[in-house]
Amino acid sequence: MKILVATEKPFAKVAVEGIRQIIESAGHELVTLESYTDKAQLLAAVADVHALIIRSDLIDAEVMTAAPQLKIIVRAGAGYDNVDLATATARNIVVMNTPGQNSNAVAELVFGMLIFNARHHFNGKSGSELKGKTLGIVAYGQVGRNVTRIAKGMEMEVHAYDFFDLAERMKADGVTKEDSIKAIFEKCDIVSLHLPATADTKQSINRALVGLMKPKAVLINTARKEIINETELLALLLTERPDLTYLTDIRPDLHNEYAEALGERYFATPKKMGAQTAEANINAGLAAARQICSFFADGCTKFQVN
Ligand code: NAD
């Protein structure tokens, strides 16, 4: 089989070497299209491939139509909202992600940003500590659990909400289970968002919800931009709630307005940094290669998302 790594933002070199080793030892051929600048390059590269490994690359109906032999797409990472799942399903293409491979990286960034904020961007002013604070986790998946593990080490009190009943998992992790997202916003000093972007969650973090937060609370988003109602959040932070802070790893479309109006009460990483570690990069790339080999060897669809 011919397998293409198509990455507008390339993997680390060592990750590509590892992917090649896995693919070639299973008897397949690996080709790469890295740092491409034009969709036409991607359309040409997929013409004769059977499998595709991508990162945040946009795989829409046009790309799938240009790839008549494509059987499987693996998104090396957690979120797969960059792949048109309906079209993939209609064309019998299996889509997978590589869950858990970058969740520690994202969780560590959460604490990097929280400490940066609590210590006033290291500007010399006296700050505050995370120990003893109540941390609310919205969506208790791979990242949420890793955030909990670190928070426990910092002696924070952790509450979590997920729309699945994850009572046992939360109990085992020493987490207080909340039955609504509202309860998290009402009870916690810091609310950390780990929702996927879905029809249900898009724009769901809105004025009504954030308005419930405790005085001087902090909202941190390392999930997806789309889950925030940016206009409502900015209006709330500017008017009724001048005490709240918003930290995000996904720059809002209204970044300039947020930055200008909110000063130190707002921080956005210059680009999405959550999964940007050497370790996460390698883990996700190698997992994608292994998943493709198992799919072709024995039809394994363990991490299929469509
Ligand atoms: P995951 O699939 O392991 O967990 C997602 C959780 O969300 C699941 O437990 C699911 O039950 C829950 N959920 C889904 N819809 C919900 C809803 N409407 N209400 C409540 N809970 C809901 O995913 P993950 O690996 O933990 O990733 C979490 C988020 O972080 C995703 O949005 C992902 O795209 C994002 N992410 C960002 C970066 C980054 O670079 N900043 C890197 C990795 C992941």
Side-chain angles (χ1 to χ4, degrees), residues 2-11 15-16 19-20 23 29-36 42 45 49 51-55 57 285 288-289 292:
K2 188 165 178 179
I3 295 150
L4 172 70
V5 171
T7 46
E8 208 172 348
K9 277 197 289 177
F11 285 111
V16 180
I19 291 170
R20 182 176 299 283
I23 299 282
E29 180 191 354
L30 184 81
V31 286
T32 57
L33 173 70
E34 296 181 305
S35 309
Y36 60 94
L42 178 61
V49 303
L52 195 51
I53 297 176
I54 53 162
R55 298 187 71 208
D57 306 77
I292 286 175

Side-chain angles (χ1 to χ4, degrees), residues 79 106 139 141-143 162-164 194-196 201 222 224 249 274-275:
V106 181
Q142 303 273 358
V143 179
D162 197 286
F163 74 167
F164 278 121
H194 303 291
L195 288 166
T201 64
T222 54
R224 282 289 182 267
D249 185 36

Side-chain angles (χ1 to χ4, degrees), residues 87-263:
T87 301
T89 306
R91 301 186 70 101
N92 265 332
I93 298 170
V94 169
V95 181
M96 294 183 188
N97 65 349
T98 60
Q101 303 296 335
N102 57 18
S103 41
N104 180 66
V106 181
E108 288 190 14
L109 184 75
V110 167
F111 289 91
M113 290 170 73
L114 287 176
I115 292 171
F116 180 64
N117 176 64
R119 299 303 181 99
H120 301 295
H121 302 196
F122 307 129
N123 70 359
K125 270 201 296 181
S126 176
S128 57
E129 298 179 25
L130 298 180
K131 180 178 173 181
K133 301 289 187 300
T134 306
L135 172 67
I137 299 194
V138 177
Y140 204 62
Q142 303 273 358
V143 179
R145 278 194 102 176
N146 274 281
V147 170
T148 298
R149 175 176 50 76
I150 298 171
K152 287 278 166 186
M154 299 182 94
E155 297 185 40
M156 299 181 82
E157 185 185 319
V158 183
H159 294 232
Y161 165 72
D162 197 286
F163 74 167
F164 278 121
D165 182 5
L166 301 176
E168 271 180 37
R169 184 184 293 181
M170 290 182 192
K171 192 171 171 213
D173 294 349
V175 166
T176 304
K177 176 178 177 292
E178 298 293 350
D179 291 325
S180 70
I181 190 167
K182 203 166 153 265
I184 294 277
F185 277 80
E186 282 168 345
K187 292 183 186 177
C188 298
D189 303 306
I190 298 164
V191 173
S192 191
L193 301 173
H194 303 291
L195 288 166
T198 64
D200 286 344
T201 64
K202 280 183 185 165
Q203 305 275 313
S204 66
I205 308 302
N206 56 21
R207 188 173 191 147
L209 205 51
V210 183
L212 299 172
M213 291 183 91
K214 290 170 74 173
K216 297 194 174 167
V218 174
L219 177 65
I220 176 162
N221 178 17
T222 54
R224 282 289 182 267
K225 178 175 72 176
E226 293 80 1
I227 65 175
I228 306 284
N229 185 323
E230 287 184 16
T231 312
E232 287 194 15
L233 178 62
L234 181 59
L236 179 85
L237 297 180
L238 280 174
T239 56
E240 293 131 71
R241 297 303 304 270
D243 57 312
L244 300 181
T245 294
Y246 180 50
L247 313 175
T248 180
D249 185 36
I250 313 95
R251 263 182 185 231
D253 292 333
L254 299 176
H255 168 73
N256 290 342
E257 286 87 336
Y258 271 72
E260 234 168 73
L262 299 170

Side-chain angles (χ1 to χ4, degrees), residues 26 28 96 290-302:
H28 304 299
M96 294 183 188
R290 283 192 203 101
Q291 287 171 215
I292 286 175
C293 292
S294 310
F295 174 77
F296 286 131
D298 50 31
C300 177
T301 52
K302 186 165 172 203

